[in-house]
């Protein structure tokens, strides 16, 4: 074999490099297009969910609400979206007072919403327009992007001013600001500290209760049969201390089974459930 016969000619090598380069370019282009479509689909899916949920409430421009929602976080660092950035959204769909019917909760989400879905007695934050529209969803923006992301967003505890946490903190504050009359709070009596000062209820909502609007706070301590804490729990004493002068405080222990049984009988008055 003559020298050089085991190597491809120079032209053939250049042709291989060219084909390889084109293949790599095409792969990158396909991935980029697929990624772009995925991001666009994420935005469109969230928008579709937002609009469809919003349209169940009459008297609002859901497209305008979506625009106000996007303005809070699109193009922003997802860890640098303070509560105040949602002010325009809250102003566009303010919480309407539902005196004597407002229900707050802490670590009793499933029990509360199972009850409110079956009985039209109380209104939780998640029953309002904004609470209902964004319940269970994840969203965020990214610096330099006009897209809405539904994956890769910071978790609740990853940073204080993350997109989702700031919304719920702001919405909770605004909902508590509208609390009036006799207000109910359903707390978890199956844990050692039913009232936690670092929960949204303890750190935001309770502190916004206004004695010129509210008459009383009625705590429903949801317990399991023969187990759990009671209304003498030390953390509930702390809750009482948080109450502004003029707001009466009441507490009653009610088993989860009793609440579930009562919610299945719409003919019974809600007050009979506890």
């Amino acid at each position: 074999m003559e020298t050089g016969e085991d190597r491809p000619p120079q032209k053939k090598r250049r042709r291989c490099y060219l084909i390889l380069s084109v293949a790599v370019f095409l792969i990158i282009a396909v991935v980029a297009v697929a990624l772009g479509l995925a991001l666009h689909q994420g935005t469109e899916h969230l928008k579709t969910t937002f609009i469809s949920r919003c349209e169940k409430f009459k008297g609002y421009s859901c497209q305008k609400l979506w625009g106000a929602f996007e303005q809070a976080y699109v193009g922003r660092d997802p860890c640098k979206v303070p509560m105040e950035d949602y002010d325009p959204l809250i102003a566009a769909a303010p919480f309407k007072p539902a005196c004597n019917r407002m229900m707050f909760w802490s670590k009793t989400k499933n029990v509360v919403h199972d009850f409110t879905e079956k009985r039209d007695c109380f209104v939780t934050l998640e029953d309002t327009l904004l609470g209902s529209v964004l319940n269970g969803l994840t969203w965020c923006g990214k610096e330099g992007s006009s897209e809405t992301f539904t994956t890769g967003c910071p978790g609740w505890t990853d940073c204080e001013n993350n997109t989702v946490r700031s919304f719920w903190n702001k919405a909770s504050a605004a909902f508590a600001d509208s609390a009036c009359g006799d207000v109910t709070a359903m707390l978890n009596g199956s844990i050692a500290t039913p009232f936690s000062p670092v929960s949204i209820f303890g750190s935001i909502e309770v502190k916004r209760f206004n004695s010129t609007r509210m008459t009383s706070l009625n705590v429903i301590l949801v317990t399991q049969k023969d187990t759990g804490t009671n209304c003498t729990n030390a953390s509930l004493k702390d809750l009482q201390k948080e109450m502004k002068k003029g707001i009466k405080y009441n507490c009653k222990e009610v088993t989860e089974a009793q609440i579930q049984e009562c919610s299945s009988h719409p003919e019974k008055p809600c007050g009979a459930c506890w």
Side-chain angles (χ1 to χ4, degrees):
M1 180 179 292
E2 297 291 337
T3 303
E5 285 186 354
D6 58 335
R7 292 178 295 170
Q10 195 69 19
K11 288 185 178 180
K12 188 172 182 180
R13 290 176 63 190
R14 285 200 297 267
R15 189 180 304 117
C16 289
Y17 289 148
L18 179 61
I19 292 172
L20 181 61
S21 298
V22 170
V24 170
F25 174 79
L26 288 175
I27 291 171
I28 293 173
V30 169
V31 170
V33 170
L35 181 60
L37 287 173
L39 292 176
H40 182 69
Q41 288 172 356
T43 301
E44 288 304 309
H45 176 72
L46 183 68
K47 183 177 180 179
T48 298
T49 301
F50 184 104
I51 297 296
S52 64
R53 290 182 179 182
C54 174
E55 288 175 344
K56 296 176 182 178
F57 295 79
K58 305 300 180 184
Y60 296 91
S61 171
C62 295
Q63 289 290 342
K64 288 184 179 179
L65 286 179
W66 171 257
F69 172 62
E70 279 192 308
Q71 286 178 11
Y73 65 88
V74 167
R76 306 278 302 280
D77 183 324
C79 280
K80 296 180 179 180
V81 181
M83 289 170 53
E84 294 73 24
D85 286 353
Y86 287 101
D87 283 349
L89 176 63
I90 301 294
F95 294 102
K96 299 175 181 178
C99 296
N100 306 316
R101 299 182 61 238
M102 298 181 74
M103 172 75 80
F104 294 82
W105 57 270
S106 183
K107 292 184 170 57
T108 53
K109 183 175 183 178
N110 292 337
V111 178
V112 167
H113 291 123
D114 179 68
F115 182 79
T116 58
E117 283 175 9
K118 295 175 180 177
R119 303 296 302 274
D120 188 26
C121 309
F122 296 98
V123 177
T124 68
L125 171 57
E126 292 78 16
D127 296 317
T128 65
L129 187 154
L130 292 179
S132 173
V133 161
L134 293 170
N135 190 25
L137 300 182
T138 298
W139 67 92
C140 66
K142 296 286 171 65
E143 288 183 301
S145 173
S146 61
E147 295 287 346
T148 290
F149 298 83
T150 56
T151 59
C153 299
W156 186 269
T157 59
D158 288 342
C159 49
E160 183 176 357
N161 289 325
N162 73 67
T163 320
V164 175
R165 181 173 178 171
S166 288
F167 167 76
W168 287 111
N169 285 347
K170 182 62 183 181
S172 296
F175 187 63
D177 285 341
S178 69
C180 54
D182 296 321
V183 171
T184 304
M186 200 173 280
L187 306 183
N188 191 336
S190 297
I191 57 179
T193 55
F195 173 71
S196 169
V198 298
S199 66
I200 288 182
F201 179 65
S203 65
I204 295 177
E205 293 170 336
V206 169
K207 296 183 182 301
R208 308 290 289 226
F209 289 160
N210 189 328
S211 60
T212 65
R213 297 169 58 85
M214 270 181 64
T215 305
S216 66
L217 175 67
N218 302 307
V219 171
I220 304 302
L221 191 62
V222 183
T223 63
Q224 302 298 324
K225 187 177 180 180
D226 302 325
T227 61
T229 57
N230 56 42
C231 287
T232 64
N233 183 271
S235 72
L236 296 177
K237 299 295 183 183
D238 294 334
L239 172 56
Q240 285 181 263
K241 294 175 184 177
E242 291 284 343
M243 290 293 97
K244 295 181 176 67
K245 187 176 180 180
I247 301 178
K248 297 178 182 179
Y249 171 88
N250 303 293
C251 179
K252 189 170 185 179
E253 300 145 21
V254 185
T255 65
E256 183 175 342
Q258 181 179 335
I259 294 173
Q260 291 175 339
E261 193 276 335
C262 189
S263 65
S264 301
H265 293 84
E267 72 281 357
K268 288 185 179 181
C270 288
C273 293
W274 44 74

